Every structure is written in C-alpha cells, then in structure tokens.
Amino acid sequence: MHFSQRRWLHPIVLFLLAFVGTALSRVQEVHNVLELTGQKASKLRFSTDVATGKYTPPEEMDPQFWYKLADEEIVKRLQLPQPNSDKAKNVIMFLGDGMPLSTVTAARILKGQRQGNTGEESSLSFEKFPYSGLSRTYCANAQVPDSACTATAYLCGVKTNIISIGVSAAVNFNNCTASQDPANRLTSIAEWSQNAGKSTGFVTTTTLTHASPSGAYAKTANRMWQCDTDVTSYGVDASTCIDMATQLVTQTPGKNFEVMFGGGMGKFLPKTIKDSHGKAGERSDGVNLLSRWQGLHDKGVLVTNRKQLLNLDVSAASSIIGTFQSGLMDFHMDADPTYQPTLSELTEVAIKKLSHNEKGYFVFIEGGLIDYGNHYTQAGYALDEALEFEKAIQLAREMTNISDTLIVVTADHGHAMSIAGYPGRGTPILGLNQHDTDINGVKYSVLNYAAGPNQYLDEHGQRIPLDDILGPDDAISPSYIDKEIGVHSGEDVGIWASGPQSHLFTGVMQQSTIPHLMAYAACIGSGKQVCESSRRKT
C-alpha cells in the first residue's frame, strides 16, 4: 500500500496494520463491557443499577422459564417421525465464534477459489452434515448478544443478560452478591456429562478464560473477571468474587476437565514470574494456579507449544492443560507453525485423550478468532479462521463413529458482514466487485461491514478507489458506520448436526435449547432423554 493511499486511513487502522504486520503480532482483546452493556452511550462506568442498563423481561430471570421452553421445543420435534432412537455416547460441540451465515458463505467461496475454482460451488465440511437449522441468538436483555450470554445459552440451557456467564438473568452486570446466590447459579452440559461419568474438555483459539469456553465452567457477573487483577479493576473484592481462572482450577466442573487447550497463560500466573512465552503473569494474589492444578492432578501434564503437544503420550496423562500463548492465540495466518498448534491438531489430541473413557465424553471446540477477524473488519483473517475451523470439524467426523458420536456445529452470534452488489461468478471474494459501481462510478468491495474503522473517504466525503488496497489477506474491508472496531449482529445463526439424534437439530430454535437437545441425545442431565423414550416404547 502506497503512502498516498494510507493517508486516508483511520488512525486505529494504521495501528492495526502496523500491529498485524510485525513478526511478533498478537491478537488483542476487542470487547468493551461499557459498549456491550450500553453504558458507553450514557457515560456510566460499571453500574449494577438495572434502571440504567438494558431491560430484562421479569419472567425470563427464572431459569425454569428457559427449561420449560426447551422442553416444549423438544416435544414438538419428537412429534415428528423419528428416524432412529440411537443414543449418543459422545457429544462434540463446535462453536464458530462470530460466524454469521455470510461468513460461512464467504469462507465456502474462498475455499473453492484457493483450489483454483470459481468458489461458489464449493462446500465446507459441516455443510455436508445431513441436518441443519437456525438458532435465535438474542439474550435476556440484549437484541444483539455477546459471547458471554450466548455461551450461557448453548452450554447451560438458559438465556441470561449480556456480559454474564453461568448465572441467570436475575444477576445484573458486575453484581458480585447476586452472582453468589445459589438460586442464580447454573450448571452446564459439561457438569451434566461429568455426573454421568463421562470425560469432558474444551478447546479454544482464544484464552482458557474467554467468554465462550467459560460457559462450560464459570459463574460470573462480568466476563472480564478472568483473573483476580481483573476483578479488582472493576471495583469488586477479588476475595469474594472468585475469578474465572481460579474457578477453572479449583471448582466443579472445571477441576474435573481432562482436556483444556487454548491461550491465556498469564491469567494463571503471578506478576512476579514470566510464563513460557516470555511475558509476565497477570495475577496480583501471588498464586500460581498452574502449579496448584498440577498439585491436584498427579499425572496431569502441562504443554505450551506444538512440539510438546504432538509428542504427548495421552494414555499416560490423567489430564492435560495446554496454554499456547500468554494471551489470545495468534491468527492462523500469523502464527509460527512450528510453535503454535493448529485447531485441527488440538482437536485430534483432545479426541484421542477423551476417547479412553468407555462411558464417552463431551468436548467443546471453538474457532474463537473468526470473531476477531470480523471485529477488525479484516475479512481475510475471519475467513481463514473459518476454514481452519471446518478442517477441524472434518477431522473430528473422520476420527469418530457416526453411529455413536453426535457432532453439533453452530455459532454464538453473527457479525455485520454483507456480500452484495451482483458480482459475477468467480469474483475474488476478498476483492472488488468488477461488475458494478457506486453512484459516482467507483467500484466497491464484495465484502462490507456495517460498522468499522475505515470508510475509505476523501476530504470531501467521497469514496476513494480501492483497487490497490483490497486483495491481500490482511486488508481492512470498508464499513459504513465509523467505529473503532466492528460489531456483532443479531440475526439467527446456523446449526449443523451429524450423528445420533441429529435429526432434532432442524427448524428454528432458541439457542438455549441446544444443550438440552444434546443432553437428550446423550441421556444426561435432568431433562428429557432418548433413553427414557425408548424404554417407554418397549
């Protein structure tokens, strides 16, 4: 990109370009709780006053509201012809964070174009699954959700307020006291699986304490309470409200996970020592949670790079924790392939380890950086992460038996990306639409975002030509609304399923019904189960 073109870029974009272009690039946190709670517009900071926040329908504060709704949705599906009554021994849930249908479509096209084809005719691995449906992603007080309230929905089976994890919608943002009330604390499908004697684990390309995987184990009124330093920074007593890293290591169900793979090593280590990646820890309490974890697991193994992971004897390890970066893992396109494992490699080791349990397993696997590519409005990163995600799904389906392993693929929320303007077949998905122009005769991008850091306007507010700007994988796509970072969207997201009871994952459903359907298939939890239905028929 020439300097003459760079001068039109928003300052935050110049920073991101320089940041991404360095050999030591790292993905940075983009989620702002003031923006997510709506307090940014009102200039408030960390308010727990429900009157200043977003409205929650009172009836939805009761977890039983969502349990009842899930039962109703399951009953409707059971009234249809049932292809089989098979039980799922194993359940694998794949979560594409921030993966709207537009990203799925664009990734499909990019896959085909990388193979030398026009692209539109290509298919992603999970698009070949026999059943698909739609998930409604709104949260109890949010028309457009975040990854915390959605994780609570698809892992705990209850919709909650934005920013919250593992607690009901009776808990307001940053309200420590309410989050400690047993009546407001939820259990997840990971815990239901453990209670049934199954092995459990999770894999993510974000951090072990990020919002999505934390839905499996954490209970918190603020998704940012990842370590004690974070809790204190929000004006809360860290000795009263236990941070998410501590919950993972010391509380049920986190302490019972046999596999935990992701980034975020710093959240587990004190500031006084450096982690395996050369950065200081983040904890202020002086506690080394990784040492504590190893003390609780005699045969537990800690791995921090690709070589250690691939050389690991999973049969000799009682449990494995992998922390492959200090913070978020690197984008696949930026990562050192000799140092950071791919999502497929993490998936393979996780399945091999968990498969040793004759009673089966539940594992949550997240392509977490799809979301970050879309937040940066760098579609090339988002689509490449989506393609790494689909490779892991293909591998998991090949490694497992379709007769006893249910695989469910979905997203937590969308992103405001569009594919529009009548481009012809084979138009480079990351490039310009060569078949149309705006009202001033300037060609425009195939992919655009509703909000983001660059509108590519000149001093007169007119769009500038993008011929020499778009095309590279790290290019920043145009957006309409000027914001520092891209935003989530509120449309339904896709669900794709394969294996026992996969026929139930069709139609339009509440996101909070997803874990109840998985539990039904695996005969776990306190709700309806296919095993009971089969017994009644006999």
Side-chain angles (χ1 to χ4, degrees), residues 34-196:
L34 296 179
E35 179 182 37
L36 293 172
T37 57
Q39 295 182 37
K40 184 177 180 181
S42 59
K43 309 299 182 184
L44 298 172
R45 285 182 60 80
F46 317 143
S47 171
T48 59
D49 183 358
V50 70
T52 61
K54 299 180 177 181
Y55 171 72
T56 304
E59 66 275 12
E60 296 184 13
M61 296 181 183
D62 183 355
Q64 290 304 316
F65 174 89
W66 301 104
Y67 270 66
K68 181 181 178 182
L69 189 56
D71 279 349
E72 292 173 357
E73 292 197 335
I74 292 174
V75 167
K76 287 179 182 179
R77 284 163 174 77
L78 294 180
Q79 290 173 347
L80 300 172
Q82 301 298 299
N84 61 68
S85 59
D86 296 341
K87 171 187 173 182
K89 174 183 176 182
N90 312 308
V91 177
I92 305 175
M93 182 178 185
F94 278 95
L95 192 284
D97 197 305
M99 187 180 73
L101 291 176
S102 58
T103 293
V104 173
T105 302
R108 172 204 308 155
I109 294 172
L110 181 62
K111 178 182 180 180
Q113 291 181 347
R114 284 181 173 181
Q115 296 169 340
N117 302 316
T118 55
E120 296 82 6
E121 69 288 338
S122 187
S123 293
L124 303 179
S125 59
F126 56 88
E127 291 183 302
K128 299 176 183 178
F129 283 6
Y131 297 99
S132 61
L134 293 171
S135 165
R136 302 172 67 181
T137 64
Y138 70 90
C139 287
N141 69 341
Q143 194 172 77
V144 176
D146 77 326
S147 294
C149 58
T150 52
T152 306
Y154 61 71
L155 288 170
C156 300
V158 173
K159 292 203 175 193
T160 190
N161 294 328
I162 200 164
I163 306 294
S164 295
I165 301 174
V167 294
S168 73
V171 179
N172 296 329
F173 167 65
N174 224 47
N175 191 323
C176 176
T177 302
S179 70
Q180 300 297 310
D181 187 340
N184 298 332
R185 294 166 74 86
L186 307 172
T187 57
S188 74
I189 189 171
E191 188 167 348
W192 308 341
S193 298
Q194 290 177 8
N195 292 339

Side-chain angles (χ1 to χ4, degrees), residues 77-86 501 503-504 520 529-538:
R77 284 163 174 77
L78 294 180
Q79 290 173 347
L80 300 172
Q82 301 298 299
N84 61 68
S85 59
D86 296 341
Q501 303 303 308
H503 60 275
L504 299 177
Y520 174 86
Q529 299 180 6
V530 66
C531 302
E532 295 175 352
S533 299
S534 299
R535 283 195 293 270
R536 283 195 295 269
K537 290 178 181 178
T538 59

Side-chain angles (χ1 to χ4, degrees), residues 282-360:
E282 298 182 38
R283 302 192 66 84
S284 302
D285 58 9
V287 175
N288 185 327
L289 285 174
L290 295 180
S291 294
R292 179 175 291 185
W293 178 84
Q294 289 184 306
L296 295 171
H297 300 82
D298 290 340
K299 295 183 180 180
V301 177
L302 169 66
V303 292
T304 60
N305 59 54
R306 181 175 183 266
K307 182 178 180 181
Q308 292 174 356
L309 177 78
L310 299 186
N311 289 336
L312 181 64
D313 181 359
V314 296
S315 61
S318 62
S319 49
I320 314 164
I321 186 169
T323 53
F324 302 102
Q325 293 292 351
S326 302
L328 295 156
M329 291 178 66
D330 290 343
F331 283 122
H332 169 254
M333 290 196 301
D334 292 339
D336 178 350
T338 67
Y339 185 78
Q340 179 177 292
T342 65
L343 184 58
S344 291
E345 290 168 339
L346 295 170
T347 296
E348 181 174 5
V349 175
I351 292 176
K352 284 181 177 178
K353 169 58 186 168
L354 297 173
S355 295
H356 285 118
N357 189 338
E358 293 183 355
K359 293 184 177 180

Side-chain angles (χ1 to χ4, degrees), residues 478-501:
S479 52
Y480 162 59
I481 301 168
D482 189 9
K483 284 184 66 72
E484 294 88 350
I485 214 79
V487 296
H488 298 173
S489 59
E491 75 276 10
D492 297 353
V493 296
I495 308 174
W496 298 264
S498 170
Q501 303 303 308

